[in-house]
Amino acid sequence: MTANKINRLTEIFTRHEKIMLEDWLREQLTALSARQDLISEPDLCRQSAEFLALFTPACRSGSLTDINSPEWKPVLDFLASVSRSRAIQGFSPSETATFVFSLKQTLLAHLRKELGQDAVALADEMWTATVLLDKLGLYTTEVFQKSREEIIKRQQMEMLELSTPVVKLWEGILAVPLIGTLDSSRTQVVMENLLQSIVDTGSRIAIVDITGVPIVDTLIAQNLLKTVAAARLMGAQCIICGIRPQIAQTMVHLGVAFGDVVTKATLADALAYAFRQIDCTVIQQAPRV
Amino acid sequence: MEQIPILQVGEFLLVSIQVDLHDRLVLRLQDDLTAQVVKKQAKGVLIDLSTVEIVDSFIGRMLGNMAALSQMLGAHAVVVGIRPAVAITIVELGLSLNNVHTALNVDKGIALLQTLVKQSSAEVRDEAYPL
């Protein structure tokens, strides 16, 4: 019985490979009619042909119910690569799964043509085909989801790296321009970067510029104060600057205060204060005539 | 028994902690330090933590205590060489060590002590001979 089953599905695939590929392509093109900007027809054709070329031998040699068997490995690998590339190209999960599910309609149509009279055999074959294609489709979606998660994770890491630079303004003066909200994990990164830079440059002053911080609530203020306290333990004085008028008002309303930390309106004011602290003067030359 | 050496450098005392700190050791250090400050009539105390990797809440508190004790005995205290990881730990423990002076390394700590001593002696002069 089982051998029979395998033979029938495989038979259909081997005999009608050309026609099935055409039918399947037509199905896909109608389903993806709106997404022709993302993938070209020749590309889709190549992917489909390659899939069928791998699918048919897998059907012939392997079990039709267990896609985890080694015979199905090349098919799964190919599906994973298609799914991954589609995740990067910007397809939606259902559009990606359609790649496999659209084969179902073609396959069922051919099955009906072959086994039209034998209702029992037809039902059996349909069930096997459906289960198999469902499994493959779900696998595609799973890989798609995973690759999307990888992309998100990578972007998060990049953002974390990008948004926390520590720059040396002058001998003994560091600046930390903060952009974006300051949650606990980012505070940790900022703190580590700042403290390491203090050690590396031997700086006495650190200017924390919060012009790019959209909201300052009690939690963010506390995180800032932690950073200031840690820098102080390393022998560096912190100056907080770039508090926008709106934010200053909100902070006063909330009762948030930076305690005895020096605060300045702009980075320029903070730098001038820092120069005074390290006994450095900037002199405006008389204009040249 | 283990002991942390207290070295005299000019009119300052240098405490360089180079072993893992544990509670009893810190308590003993506190006793030794107060005794030495009085005996040597030190003007300042430097506590060097540059090789200390682990600080717990008790040791963090004792650092504050030692600084306060030194101030009480007339010596300025500066904690120097705190590592970034240790600084973060102390802050996360909720110990801000607000009353303790800090510096990046021993060199800068000595410079800071010198300015602190100069300031306080100027204050004393001002009080003795008011204008």
Side-chain angles (χ1 to χ4, degrees):
Chain A
M1 178 67 190
T2 320
N4 215 9
K5 255 188 205 168
I6 293 169
N7 279 341
R8 271 198 193 141
L9 262 186
T10 320
E11 229 178 78
I12 292 172
F13 268 109
T14 345
R15 233 179 321 129
H16 308 291
E17 193 169 341
K18 264 248 171 71
I19 309 164
M20 282 192 66
L21 180 59
E22 276 166 24
D23 287 353
W24 184 29
L25 267 177
R26 211 175 311 116
E27 289 290 336
Q28 286 190 71
L29 284 176
T30 34
L32 295 177
S33 56
R35 310 307 300 244
Q36 287 186 351
D37 50 325
L38 293 180
I39 188 161
S40 64
E41 205 177 319
D43 273 348
L44 189 63
C45 185
R46 195 179 41 76
Q47 278 182 355
S48 308
E50 206 172 320
F51 176 73
L52 277 190
L54 290 168
F55 184 79
T56 317
C59 270
R60 195 176 301 139
S61 56
S63 144
L64 285 182
T65 44
D66 180 22
I67 60 164
N68 292 320
S69 62
E71 290 83 9
W72 285 94
K73 184 100 187 7
V75 178
L76 293 185
D77 286 347
F78 176 71
L79 275 181
S81 78
V82 168
S83 186
R84 235 173 247 129
S85 70
R86 291 198 176 192
I88 293 164
Q89 279 166 333
F91 280 89
S92 75
S94 49
E95 279 163 348
T96 309
T98 304
F99 178 71
V100 175
F101 286 138
S102 58
L103 181 60
K104 203 187 276 184
Q105 198 168 353
T106 321
L107 183 60
L108 295 190
H110 279 269
L111 273 177
R112 194 181 309 146
K113 221 182 284 168
E114 290 280 313
L115 301 164
Q117 282 75 42
D118 189 351
V120 179
L122 180 63
D124 271 357
E125 288 302 320
M126 268 184 164
W127 177 242
T128 321
T130 309
V131 167
L132 176 63
L133 287 178
D134 281 355
K135 273 183 187 164
L136 290 175
L138 284 176
Y139 178 77
T140 320
T141 317
E142 234 168 66
V143 175
F144 181 88
Q145 207 71 24
K146 235 178 249 164
S147 29
R148 281 299 267 269
E149 271 163 23
E150 277 163 22
I151 293 173
I152 291 170
K153 234 179 243 163
R154 206 191 58 228
Q155 284 174 343
Q156 261 176 349
M157 286 305 294
E158 278 168 5
M159 263 174 59
L160 215 56
E161 296 272 310
L162 277 177
S163 54
T164 53
V166 178
V167 289
K168 184 174 168 180
L169 281 187
W170 202 264
E171 190 61 47
I173 304 177
L174 289 175
V176 194
L178 292 176
I179 315 278
T181 44
L182 209 60
D183 55 15
S184 300
S185 63
R186 276 199 58 203
T187 311
Q188 189 76 12
V189 176
V190 171
M191 224 193 259
E192 277 167 17
N193 284 352
L194 175 61
L195 298 192
Q196 195 54 51
S197 305
I198 289 172
V199 175
D200 293 344
T201 60
S203 297
R204 271 184 49 201
I205 309 266
I207 301 174
V208 181
D209 179 70
I210 57 168
T211 313
V213 180
I215 321 159
V216 177
D217 55 15
T218 42
L219 181 71
I220 292 175
Q222 201 199 347
N223 285 338
L224 274 171
L225 283 178
K226 266 187 196 169
T227 313
V228 171
R232 209 187 64 83
L233 286 175
M234 310 273 307
Q237 190 196 349
C238 272
I239 305 166
I240 295 176
C241 70
I243 306 168
R244 277 177 279 160
Q246 274 296 320
I247 288 178
Q249 286 188 24
T250 325
M251 284 173 62
V252 171
H253 279 307
L254 281 174
V256 178
F258 284 133
D260 50 2
V261 181
V262 178
T263 52
K264 296 282 170 195
T266 63
L267 186 60
D269 292 341
L271 187 60
Y273 177 83
F275 277 148
R276 274 204 302 282
Q277 289 291 305
I278 61 167
D279 301 323
C280 186
T281 36
V282 182
I283 296 165
Q284 171 82 56
Q285 298 268 330
R288 281 183 213 165
V289 185
Chain B
M1 189 181 157
E2 265 187 305
Q3 190 178 4
I4 291 170
I6 299 171
L7 313 169
Q8 188 168 13
V9 183
E11 54 188 353
F12 305 137
L13 293 179
L14 173 62
V15 184
S16 179
I17 300 170
Q18 297 179 354
V19 290
D20 285 339
L21 286 173
H22 52 81
D23 295 2
R24 198 192 297 215
L25 192 60
V26 179
L27 284 172
R28 168 145 193 207
L29 175 63
Q30 186 178 313
D31 288 345
D32 289 354
L33 184 64
T34 42
Q36 289 291 323
V37 169
V38 173
K39 192 176 162 198
K40 303 271 168 65
Q41 296 197 321
K43 293 274 183 351
V45 175
L46 277 170
I47 302 171
D48 176 31
L49 297 181
S50 54
T51 50
V52 174
E53 287 175 5
I54 298 163
V55 166
D56 62 17
S57 57
F58 179 72
I59 291 167
R61 198 158 59 83
M62 291 314 276
L63 284 175
N65 277 5
M66 274 192 274
L69 280 168
S70 307
Q71 308 271 22
M72 195 169 277
L73 296 170
H76 297 282
V78 177
V79 178
V80 300
I82 296 181
R83 293 184 177 204
V86 174
I88 292 174
T89 313
I90 293 176
V91 171
E92 294 293 342
L93 286 173
L95 302 162
S96 49
L97 298 185
N98 266 329
N99 53 346
V100 184
H101 293 285
T102 50
L104 189 60
N105 50 37
V106 174
D107 205 26
K108 290 187 174 172
I110 288 179
L112 177 60
L113 270 183
Q114 278 164 347
T115 46
L116 286 172
V117 169
K118 213 184 283 172
Q119 268 173 16
S120 54
S121 59
E123 277 165 21
V124 170
R125 265 204 306 280
D126 288 349
E127 279 167 25
Y129 309 101
L131 288 171

